[in-house]
Amino acid sequence: MVKNWIEKNAYNIFMAPTILFILLMVMFPLLFTLYLSFTEWSMGAIPPKFIGLKNYLDLLKDERFINATGRTLFLAFGSVAIQLVLGTALAVFLNRNFKGKNLVKTLFLLPMVATPVAIGMVWLLIYEPTLG
């Protein structure tokens, strides 16, 4: 009966250590950082002192933080909006039949192909027995 259960759950059994490792590698730093955000600590010999929400309240009162957050949101939403409009317009344009359509598509795809080719050529030179 145990053997049957192991055979049915072999995938989960083999994946468990990896998932546990990844969770620990992500969750521990995340939770420790969250804990430290509620403390006052100068990374010296003195241990962290719990101060509650004071750090967050100070942050919300800081004019530089509010300005930086506003600029970040403006840039994030602005860039997404511009990319959405330009990408949709380009897709509609390239979906039509016109002379040179294949050439235009090739020119758009060329940078995506050129980068891996250039990296491959660099690695060929690195592994070259006489020059690398």
Side-chain angles (χ1 to χ4, degrees), residues 75-105:
L75 287 172
F77 287 112
S79 65
V80 168
I82 290 170
Q83 290 176 25
L84 182 69
V85 169
L86 289 178
T88 304
L90 187 62
V92 168
F93 172 72
L94 290 176
N95 199 30
R96 296 181 179 176
N97 289 327
F98 60 92
K99 191 174 181 178
K101 178 180 177 179
N102 289 334
L103 177 65
V104 172
K105 284 183 176 181

Side-chain angles (χ1 to χ4, degrees), residues 109-127:
L109 289 175
L110 199 59
M112 287 188 278
V113 174
T115 302
V117 169
I119 291 170
M121 291 177 72
V122 167
W123 278 106
L124 278 175
L125 286 172
I126 289 172
Y127 285 131

Side-chain angles (χ1 to χ4, degrees), residues 11-26:
Y11 178 78
N12 294 330
I13 292 169
F14 286 122
M15 290 299 293
T18 303
I19 292 171
L20 183 65
F21 176 76
I22 290 172
L23 282 175
L24 287 175
M25 293 301 288
V26 171

Side-chain angles (χ1 to χ4, degrees), residues 1-121:
M1 184 161 180
V2 172
K3 185 178 179 183
N4 224 2
W5 182 86
I6 291 174
E7 287 177 4
K8 283 183 181 178
N9 296 304
Y11 178 78
N12 294 330
I13 292 169
F14 286 122
M15 290 299 293
T18 303
I19 292 171
L20 183 65
F21 176 76
I22 290 172
L23 282 175
L24 287 175
M25 293 301 288
V26 171
M27 294 306 290
F28 175 74
L30 183 68
L31 293 174
F32 188 66
T33 303
L34 183 65
Y35 161 72
L36 286 179
S37 73
F38 292 106
T39 64
E40 182 178 4
W41 188 37
S42 62
M43 295 178 61
I46 302 169
K49 182 178 112 182
F50 184 78
I51 59 171
L53 294 173
K54 184 180 179 313
N55 287 333
Y56 290 102
L57 295 174
D58 290 345
L59 193 63
L60 291 175
K61 293 176 188 173
D62 188 5
E63 188 176 327
R64 291 186 315 169
F65 172 75
I66 293 170
N67 290 338
T69 303
R71 282 191 300 272
T72 300
L73 291 173
F74 175 75
L75 287 172
F77 287 112
S79 65
V80 168
I82 290 170
Q83 290 176 25
L84 182 69
V85 169
L86 289 178
T88 304
L90 187 62
V92 168
F93 172 72
L94 290 176
N95 199 30
R96 296 181 179 176
N97 289 327
F98 60 92
K99 191 174 181 178
K101 178 180 177 179
N102 289 334
L103 177 65
V104 172
K105 284 183 176 181
T106 302
L107 291 175
F108 274 113
L109 289 175
L110 199 59
M112 287 188 278
V113 174
T115 302
V117 169
I119 291 170
M121 291 177 72

